Amino acid sequence: MDIIRVIKDTDYPILDLYWAMAGSHIDSREMYPHESSYIFERDGRPLYAVAAHLIRGLPLAYIEAVIRDPNKRPDFDALYSLQSYLEVILKAQGYARIIGIPKNEQLCKHYEKLGYNRVDAVIYTVKEL
């Protein structure tokens, strides 16, 4: 069964493992804010995770650290569902713009498929809510 939910403490060790398998060693507790990071869970295990960093006082949030279970195939529908969920949550909280921060060109293409507009002068992509 698929669900989208806020990140839990038990997710952090799994996300650390996903990042290590992707060749990066990060502390996911620092990367994923507890109150604004989300998991797309499939059959009780995180399939995707995303960090939403909220810029207090501005109607702006930025998205980064999208990671997928490296043992699973990419699932664009799952990623799209997670993005749509984020948009609803952020818009309800008063945010009007999302900035995507992809780590490579392949992720830039995913962001574009999700409706972000590429800004050529920088590596960021922007999506109006």
Side-chain angles (χ1 to χ4, degrees):
M1 178 167 74
D2 295 344
I3 62 169
I4 298 173
R5 59 174 175 75
V6 73
I7 200 166
K8 299 186 293 192
D9 285 336
T10 56
D11 295 321
Y12 292 117
I14 294 167
L15 296 180
D16 286 344
L17 177 63
Y18 290 178
W19 281 102
M21 291 173 75
S24 296
H25 299 282
I26 66 162
D27 181 355
S28 60
R29 288 182 186 277
E30 290 182 17
M31 180 68 73
Y32 296 90
H34 196 271
E35 72 282 357
S36 62
S37 295
Y38 296 89
I39 299 289
F40 183 99
E41 182 180 288
R42 176 164 290 153
D43 299 325
R45 185 169 173 91
L47 178 61
Y48 283 96
V50 63
H53 299 276
L54 310 177
I55 301 174
R56 308 287 184 208
L58 292 175
L60 182 64
Y62 69 93
I63 304 299
E64 70 171 344
V66 176
I67 191 82
R68 173 181 48 83
D69 180 345
N71 294 314
K72 302 288 183 183
R73 297 189 68 198
D75 184 332
F76 186 76
D77 289 337
L79 189 58
Y80 183 79
S81 295
L82 183 55
Q83 174 66 39
S84 296
Y85 184 84
L86 272 176
E87 289 175 21
V88 169
I89 295 293
L90 293 174
K91 193 168 188 176
Q93 293 177 2
Y95 293 89
R97 181 169 290 147
I98 301 173
I99 298 174
I101 304 177
K103 64 181 180 185
N104 58 42
E105 184 63 28
Q106 183 180 357
L107 276 178
C108 270
K109 291 178 183 177
H110 281 296
Y111 276 87
E112 288 173 0
K113 286 182 187 177
L114 293 170
Y116 289 76
N117 298 312
R118 183 175 245 178
V119 179
D120 289 333
V122 293
I123 62 166
Y124 305 120
T125 54
V126 176
K127 183 166 188 175
E128 301 292 332
L129 294 181

